[in-house]
Amino acid sequence: MTATVAPVAGLLEPFVAADVFEPADIHVARRLTTLAKEADERVALAVALAVRALRGGSVCVDLRSVAEQVGPAELPWPEPAAWVQAVRASPLADGHVLRVFSESGTDLVYLDRYWREEQQVRDDVLTLLTSALPAATPSLERLFPAGREEQRRAAEVALSQSLTVLTGGPGTGKTTTVARLLALLAEQAALAGQPPLRIALAAPTGKAAARLLEAVRQEVAKLDAADRARLPELSASTVHRLLRPRPDNSSRFRHHRENRLPHDVIVVDETSMVSLTLMARLLEAVRPDSRLLLVGDPDQLASVEAGAVLADLVDGLGGRTDVTIAALQTSHRFGENIGALATAIRDGDADRVLDLLRAGGRNIEWLDTDDPGERLRPVLLPHARRMREAAVLGDAESALAVLDGHRLLCAHRRGPYGVRYWNRQVERWLTDATGEPIWSDWYAGRPVLVTANDYGLGLYNGDTGVTVVREESLSVAVGAQLFAAGRLAEVETMHAMTIHKSQGSQADEVTVLMPPQESRLLTRELFYTAVTRAKDRVRVVGPESSVRAAIGRRAIRASGLARRLST
């Protein structure tokens, strides 16, 4: 049953009628203003907008620009200056429920928790940047020889700062830089007569952590024996697991300001996916004498939860004269065409994007259509049939290879452009092609996506697998492991997956299904993230109007962190 907003009158009524708010937004606004005996409806509107902003990933709302961003323009938006004054004068502001941050022509209204977290992140970042560093610095040329100049410059930055933001798109050598930097730091510790470094590798999801560990280990294996000997046995975990969750509090951890993490070096990959709250918990747990390396691509989609911390760090610290962002820009992964397409998307050059799509070539294909149904059948059905054939034969290795060869990426979960629709569509095509109806959730050739961590089974949110026949029963192959299908509860079918879920992964070939131009999810960051999942070939499915809409629409998240960091 869909919740509805109880009848309202006064200033909020036309906003509710225009579907600006969810029921929870109005409920929180009513509850807080009633408790504070706040009669000014402009304050209730500000509270409802602040709650609404969190659902969209923003940590605050700018009262001076909210009318342009939320719309419609004909709604009775209060005059901004008077509106800000009303919020400042409210007992809710005095009671530390609301906070107002004003600077550079903005008036940002926060719920108190997020104002405090943003301030704490700013303070902890700047404190880390002032930490004293070892004087002895090993030569970089040995680990970063000729041909690795860009990575060497990034390592120089990391050696000079206790906190380093290392950015770069897919294939720019972030993991190589991390592995060689760890060897460099281990050598530095040895030269200073210090014990072996305690190193933590972490990422927002279990799958991303496992990929980070695998990639770093591969790079470490290429190092000299002396470098390998100085490094400890590496492991990786989610950021949550690193901080050790508390059973009594979902947003607090066993490691905090009074019980710091024991590590000398902490590397966090896929930092674009880290929310403001999680970053605040991480920073308060890092020792002042530790090194923190935040790695990621600021042009990708941000955290599902509120905040865009990596982008804020890049914007805020990048504006200072006493800090340097370590940026890798040269991609070594893509075919030349895909790299050019990703760059054009990132730069917002719609004409260039369309020129590259029209030119096509071995690496790029464009299906210029707003009716993708039959255009995608010859793409998706052969792939699904090959996976099913391998699965029926019990050939898990071949089935997994087919799965990793292609991804269909959707912006939405529901509707005709959503994951659920396309999962069912591929299953219908399979039934038509094989004459074998699919009667249950589990069937041979069902690709699955793990949606929750299961540390007992060694499975992580984001792991992928294929259901195969083994000894006349169904098992799920995930990497080199086999599990009875009945043991896996937290999985979903993955003939298609959302672009959000695809972050941190790659496939040989990617098909990007563009929703209609009016879709609120259609943004430049979404398009860039989808295209950069492809190693060798990308297929964009959608009309020019959707492509232009994606390029022209930024995923704007209201935040004051960049401003706080830059001053």
Side-chain angles (χ1 to χ4, degrees):
M1 182 182 296
T2 302
T4 58
V5 179
V8 295
L11 179 61
L12 290 178
E13 182 177 8
F15 291 88
V16 172
D19 292 326
V20 169
F21 295 118
E22 295 286 334
D25 308 333
I26 300 300
H27 175 76
V28 172
R30 281 173 161 171
R31 182 67 174 160
L32 290 177
T33 52
T34 298
L35 288 173
K37 297 182 172 58
E38 172 57 76
D40 193 326
E41 292 182 330
R42 294 173 298 178
V43 176
L45 179 59
V47 174
L49 287 166
V51 177
R52 177 188 184 274
L54 295 173
R55 278 203 325 278
S58 294
V59 297
C60 57
V61 60
D62 185 355
L63 297 188
R64 292 191 180 274
S65 63
V66 67
E68 301 171 9
Q69 296 171 9
V70 174
E74 60 269 17
L75 288 172
W77 294 99
E79 193 278 321
W83 195 5
V84 173
Q85 286 303 112
V87 174
R88 286 188 184 279
S90 171
L92 286 173
D94 290 341
H96 303 300
V97 174
L98 295 179
R99 297 276 190 154
V100 181
F101 175 70
S102 299
E103 188 175 297
S104 304
T106 63
D107 289 295
L108 306 180
V109 174
Y110 296 76
L111 297 179
D112 180 69
R113 166 187 163 180
Y114 296 95
W115 185 91
R116 290 179 180 273
E117 287 178 347
E118 197 172 88
Q119 185 64 35
Q120 182 222 307
V121 167
R122 185 253 186 201
D123 292 345
D124 286 344
V125 164
L126 296 184
T127 298
L128 263 178
L129 286 169
T130 61
S131 299
L133 295 170
T137 302
S139 171
L140 277 72
E141 283 71 18
R142 184 177 63 82
L143 286 164
F144 297 92
R148 296 184 181 273
E149 287 82 4
E150 192 173 65
Q151 296 172 6
R152 187 193 308 157
R153 289 193 295 272
E156 287 175 341
V157 171
L159 282 176
S160 68
Q161 301 174 173
S162 290
L163 183 147
T164 301
V165 179
L166 174 62
T167 67
T172 53
K174 296 191 296 294
T175 304
T176 300
T177 304
V178 167
R180 291 176 177 268
L181 176 61
L182 293 177
L184 200 64
L185 293 172
E187 181 182 2
Q188 186 181 56
L191 289 173
Q194 298 172 351
L197 294 176
R198 292 163 293 183
I199 298 173
L201 304 178
T205 68
K207 180 65 173 178
R211 282 193 298 268
L212 172 63
L213 179 61
E214 179 184 10
V216 170
R217 281 178 171 172
Q218 288 176 352
E219 292 298 329
V220 168
K222 301 173 186 177
L223 300 175
D224 294 342
D227 290 313
R228 296 198 303 272
R230 281 191 288 262
L231 287 169
E233 180 65 27
L234 297 173
S235 62
S237 72
T238 64
V239 179
H240 280 82
R241 196 166 175 83
L242 175 70
L243 295 172
R244 298 182 61 201
R246 282 171 42 180
D248 60 326
N249 192 319
S250 61
S251 63
R252 291 288 174 175
F253 299 88
R254 297 186 188 276
H255 285 294
H256 45 73
R257 207 171 296 281
E258 283 71 46
N259 180 31
R260 307 271 188 158
L261 289 163
H263 306 92
D264 304 300
V265 181
I266 301 170
V267 178
V268 179
D269 197 16
E270 300 291 350
T271 307
S272 64
M273 299 166 65
V274 176
S275 68
L276 175 66
T277 296
L278 186 57
M279 184 59 72
R281 300 292 82 80
L282 172 65
L283 286 167
E284 71 181 7
V286 175
R287 296 198 331 258
D289 59 342
S290 297
R291 288 183 184 270
L292 178 61
L293 183 61
L294 302 175
V295 185
D297 184 349
D299 297 306
Q300 285 190 176
L301 288 166
S303 164
V304 174
E305 299 176 45
V309 178
L310 181 60
D312 284 340
L313 288 170
V314 171
D315 291 344
L317 297 179
R320 299 177 66 97
T321 58
D322 57 342
V323 184
T324 303
I325 302 297
L328 301 174
Q329 298 176 330
T330 305
S331 178
H332 308 284
R333 174 182 299 163
F334 300 126
E336 181 179 350
N337 295 10
I338 297 179
L341 179 61
T343 299
I345 295 171
R346 184 192 65 201
D347 294 345
D349 189 343
D351 291 336
R352 175 66 174 153
V353 169
L354 288 162
D355 287 343
L356 289 165
L357 291 176
R358 292 188 184 104
R362 192 186 73 80
N363 303 111
I364 295 176
E365 181 183 359
W366 183 23
L367 301 183
D368 182 4
T369 177
D370 55 7
D371 185 16
E374 288 307 306
R375 299 290 297 274
L376 281 180
R377 180 179 177 125
V379 173
L380 303 179
L381 179 56
H383 175 80
R385 291 195 68 171
R386 289 195 302 273
M387 191 155 46
R388 181 180 176 87
E389 289 162 3
V392 169
L393 295 173
D395 187 350
E397 184 177 353
S398 295
L400 288 170
V402 175
L403 176 64
D404 290 339
H406 179 266
R407 290 281 191 277
L408 171 62
L409 302 182
C410 304
H412 293 265
R413 290 192 60 81
R414 299 176 180 83
Y417 295 86
V419 165
R420 292 184 180 180
Y421 172 86
W422 284 96
N423 279 328
R424 292 195 301 269
Q425 182 68 289
V426 172
E427 289 173 345
R428 285 192 289 265
W429 286 337
L430 269 175
T431 296
D432 293 343
T434 64
E436 299 175 11
I438 296 173
W439 297 110
S440 69
D441 289 341
W442 290 106
Y443 56 88
R446 180 196 182 194
V448 297
L449 174 70
V450 178
T451 57
N453 295 332
D454 188 327
Y455 296 107
L457 294 179
L459 291 175
Y460 300 101
N461 183 7
D463 279 342
T464 57
V466 180
T467 309
V468 300
V469 176
R470 285 292 174 91
E471 299 178 355
E472 299 184 354
S473 63
L474 293 177
S475 297
V476 181
V478 182
Q481 302 181 86
L482 273 177
F483 304 92
R487 295 185 68 189
L488 305 185
E490 303 294 335
V491 297
E492 58 187 39
T493 303
M494 202 194 75
H495 291 293
M497 72 187 304
T498 64
I499 297 169
H500 268 95
K501 287 280 190 180
S502 75
Q503 281 187 271
S505 67
Q506 286 85 40
D508 296 334
E509 180 180 332
V510 164
T511 297
V512 184
L513 182 59
M514 306 289 283
Q517 62 179 344
E518 60 269 17
S519 168
R520 293 183 179 180
L521 297 181
L522 191 58
T523 64
R524 187 185 306 175
E525 291 78 6
L526 185 94
F527 194 14
Y528 172 86
T529 300
V531 165
T532 53
R533 300 311 92 203
K535 294 180 183 178
D536 187 63
R537 182 175 174 80
V538 64
R539 178 183 298 105
V540 176
V541 183
E544 178 178 335
S545 59
S546 291
V547 174
R548 288 193 178 276
I551 301 299
R553 188 181 299 142
R554 301 300 305 270
I556 298 173
R557 292 195 167 194
S559 164
L561 181 58
R563 295 184 185 91
R564 295 185 198 225
L565 286 167
S566 64
T567 57

